[in-house]
Amino acid sequence: MRIWLSRPHMSGRERVYVEQAFDSNFVAPLGPQLDAFESSVSEYLGGGLQCVGLSSGSAALHLALRLVGVGPGDEVWISSMTFAGGIFPVLYMNATPVFFDLDPATWTIDVAQLGAALAQAARDGRLPKAIVPTDLYGQSVDLDALEDLAQRYGVKLVVDSAESLGASYKGGRKCGTGGDASILSFNGNKIITTSGGGMLVTRSKEIADSARFLSTQARDQAPHYEHSTFGYNYRLSNICAAIGVGQMEVLDDRVAARRRINERYRAGLNRPGIAFMPEPEGYHSSRWLTAITVDPAICGLTREDLREDLLTHQIESRPLWKPMHMQPLFEGARYVGSGVDEAMFANGLCLPSGSDMSEVEQSEVIDRISARLDRA
């Protein structure tokens, strides 16, 4: 059987909540399961947060950018190594992305380079409208430093936590609680899923209320259909939210399982030329995906050699995100960095990390990788 990179992992309770939705006939976008899902995420993240369930993480980011004031011609400074869905909403707003490199010590946005660029931009009178850093592969960005920079320069901060639900930052602060707003994703390969979906998280009731309004086609209060602005069909289905209610009950178990998988990989692949994504002191990554780099000079093969060999044995692995500044779509875009993310893309590989992965399956992956390295 094929060993997948990260497949959905149901607990069984999801079916109960979906049946409740069917029994009550709440199969439209809104309903009690959506309310319960939003409440459960808010409570998990620490309470006092406004959570708005949406159709995708990209929809959440699109709304967040609009609601913090990003508009045509504005610059949005953003992690280059991320999924395209974390970039496209910048284009939806007719804004201009400026891409930033990673810090090799964290594999998240390089705060030192970002700070230096902000200082120069302040001197030049051309500060960006917003910063959008990405929590990569289940690990938080440096929230304290980023929030300090955003406050110091009066720039909005929207944290892309699509990959990091269940992780925490220094002092136990949950990922998804940073900035003016954060966004989450419940896509099928994420640590928990609603089959497809996302969420906007904010401490601002004004932002949350506006997100709910805009995500339901911006219909004004009236007995007829009245519109004073344009909106979107972005609200999360009540049926999908019912799946999310069941998934939230096992989120910490899923994190623990993926961290155990990561630890077994580290023990089984502890050899020259293989390096794992670091976890700084005080951080607690969800280890959504176990990410490694392969040094061709030491290993005698490339990341791609390894990926293709695994694929011949029905084992799915995947290169790290190709940095956005390297994409044809963004040819000529401004990039601030020294190519750390470029090297990571060239040499990086994500290994199968699903929380339902058995030890036997993981042993097969480790044995296949070890055998291929031994043949190099």
Side-chain angles (χ1 to χ4, degrees):
M1 293 181 63
R2 188 178 181 90
I3 298 176
W4 299 97
L5 184 71
S6 178
R7 66 180 184 177
H9 186 188
M10 297 292 104
S11 71
R13 288 281 295 166
E14 297 85 0
R15 187 184 299 272
V16 174
Y17 297 113
V18 171
E19 288 177 351
Q20 289 175 0
F22 270 92
D23 290 344
S24 63
N25 204 36
F26 274 106
V27 295
L30 304 180
Q33 281 71 31
L34 178 55
D35 294 340
F37 183 43
E38 291 173 341
S39 295
S40 67
V41 175
S42 177
E43 183 178 353
Y44 181 84
L45 294 178
L49 291 159
Q50 302 281 326
C51 294
V52 183
L54 299 164
S55 57
S56 68
S58 297
L61 182 55
H62 186 194
L63 287 175
L65 292 176
R66 178 171 170 179
L67 292 170
V68 300
V70 173
D74 288 334
E75 284 192 354
V76 176
W77 290 9
I78 198 161
S79 301
S80 189
M81 179 169 276
T82 191
F83 174 57
I87 297 291
F88 290 162
V90 177
L91 304 186
Y92 303 162
M93 300 307 302
N94 292 312
T96 301
V98 175
F99 299 112
F100 279 77
D101 202 355
L102 301 184
D103 181 342
T106 65
W107 286 28
T108 58
I109 196 166
D110 191 318
V111 175
Q113 291 191 54
L114 182 68
L118 284 167
Q120 184 61 53
R123 290 191 291 270
D124 295 342
R126 54 171 186 83
L127 284 164
K129 178 65 72 171
I131 303 167
V132 183
T134 300
D135 294 343
L136 196 65
Y137 296 122
Q139 183 152 285
S140 177
V141 293
D142 190 348
L143 279 175
D144 288 343
L146 287 163
E147 289 180 336
D148 178 68
L149 286 171
Q151 183 177 29
R152 188 187 315 169
Y153 291 103
V155 175
K156 298 298 183 181
L157 177 63
V158 177
V159 183
D160 182 350
S161 295
E163 302 176 13
S164 65
L165 182 61
S168 60
Y169 179 63
K170 300 173 184 176
R173 181 180 178 185
K174 296 289 188 182
C175 289
T177 62
D180 297 280
S182 292
I183 68 105
L184 303 172
S185 171
F186 307 110
N187 189 35
N189 66 358
K190 293 299 189 294
I191 198 159
I192 65 167
T193 184
T194 58
S195 79
M199 191 165 283
L200 187 153
V201 182
T202 181
R203 299 187 186 280
S204 167
K205 187 175 185 301
E206 180 181 359
I207 288 177
D209 287 346
S210 296
R212 291 188 179 95
F213 171 69
L214 292 175
S215 65
T216 49
Q217 301 289 23
R219 182 182 176 185
D220 295 330
Q221 290 293 325
H224 53 276
Y225 286 90
E226 184 84 4
H227 301 276
S228 55
T229 188
F230 64 94
Y232 317 92
N233 185 18
Y234 274 176
R235 210 62 162 102
L236 181 65
S237 157
N238 193 60
I239 297 295
C240 290
I243 299 171
V245 173
Q247 288 275 277
M248 283 299 298
E249 294 178 352
V250 294
L251 173 55
D252 284 339
D253 293 338
R254 301 298 186 249
V255 172
R258 293 194 189 232
R259 287 186 65 87
R260 286 193 298 271
I261 287 167
N262 182 271
E263 289 164 6
R264 288 197 294 268
Y265 275 131
R266 287 174 181 269
L269 296 173
N270 182 18
R271 54 192 296 161
I274 302 295
F276 286 79
M277 182 177 184
E279 184 179 51
E281 184 177 355
Y283 289 59
H284 187 83
S285 172
S286 71
R287 301 298 194 194
W288 169 51
L289 294 178
T290 289
I292 64 171
T293 55
V294 180
D295 187 334
I298 297 174
C299 295
L301 52 72
T302 66
R303 168 264 285 165
E304 198 60 10
D305 293 331
L306 197 56
R307 187 191 68 81
E308 290 176 351
D309 185 74
L310 289 172
L311 192 58
T312 64
H313 295 97
Q314 295 297 301
I315 298 171
E316 182 186 21
S317 61
R318 184 176 297 166
L320 270 60
W321 302 123
K322 183 176 183 179
M324 288 296 113
H325 73 275
M326 298 175 68
Q327 300 283 353
L329 175 63
F330 296 110
E331 185 177 359
R334 184 178 164 212
Y335 168 69
V336 180
S338 57
V340 171
D341 50 8
E342 296 174 5
M344 285 171 48
F345 167 64
N347 298 320
L349 190 68
C350 295
L351 303 180
S353 306
S355 51
D356 64 344
M357 187 181 190
S358 69
E359 289 191 29
V360 171
E361 288 175 320
Q362 189 173 10
S363 293
E364 181 180 350
V365 177
I366 291 170
D367 291 345
R368 295 293 184 188
I369 292 173
S370 298
R372 182 64 184 87
L373 290 169
D374 289 341
R375 296 197 307 270

